[in-house]
Amino acid sequence: MTQGLIDLAVRYHEAVGRGATGAELAAFFTPDMLHRELPNLLFPDGAERDLPAVLDAAERGQAVLSAQTYEVLNVVAAGDKVAVEVRWSGTLAVAYGELPAGHVMHAHIGTFLDVRDGRISGQRNYDCYARLAA
């Protein structure tokens, strides 16, 4: 059971890294999933998204990032929970504030997943972005 949860978390991060959207991305989630992004440099008030909002954000992300990678550093699973430590990088497709297109952003991310019936029913992200400077 634990290995299945770990595999799900790794496959999910790989899919997001390669730009999965639509049905491919939705397949990882229960219909009633809830994603909470805790306050961070890009979202100072945090964000809360249901499945349609997650799918919309993935589509919008395609226009902002030309590439992104999620390097999974550690994964721990217990019961129906998975904790994932990730090193993320994203290359801007367009200028973002004072950052030019082509700039590579970096973050360390703690992701906590709740799993039900083999799919993600909840996600909490603690995104620690490196200083945004050109």
Side-chain angles (χ1 to χ4, degrees):
M1 175 68 173
T2 301
Q3 188 59 49
L5 294 176
I6 291 170
D7 292 344
L8 171 67
V10 171
R11 284 193 333 270
Y12 167 58
H13 281 85
E14 289 171 347
V16 173
R18 71 173 176 275
T21 59
E24 180 186 4
L25 185 59
F28 285 97
F29 300 110
T30 62
D32 64 341
M33 73 82 64
L34 182 63
H35 174 255
R36 290 188 63 222
E37 185 170 350
L38 282 293
N40 60 62
L41 192 60
L42 298 183
F43 295 94
D45 295 324
E48 196 167 283
R49 300 175 187 93
D50 60 7
L51 182 55
V54 166
L55 298 177
D56 181 60
E59 288 288 340
R60 285 184 286 116
Q62 297 295 313
V64 176
L65 296 174
S66 60
Q68 63 179 336
T69 60
Y70 287 81
E71 180 186 357
V72 175
L73 303 174
N74 290 295
V75 185
V76 177
D80 60 356
K81 312 268 187 226
V82 186
V84 187
E85 178 186 10
V86 175
R87 185 176 10 227
W88 173 84
S89 63
T91 304
L92 292 172
V94 295
Y96 180 81
E98 295 183 17
L99 302 176
H103 179 81
V104 180
M105 300 187 321
H106 300 278
H108 291 275
I109 301 172
T111 300
F112 297 85
L113 305 173
D114 301 317
V115 179
R116 185 174 71 237
D117 299 327
R119 299 197 299 171
I120 299 165
S121 61
Q123 178 174 342
R124 288 167 313 288
N125 272 57
Y126 297 81
D127 299 349
C128 300
Y129 289 93
R131 185 181 308 272
L132 297 180

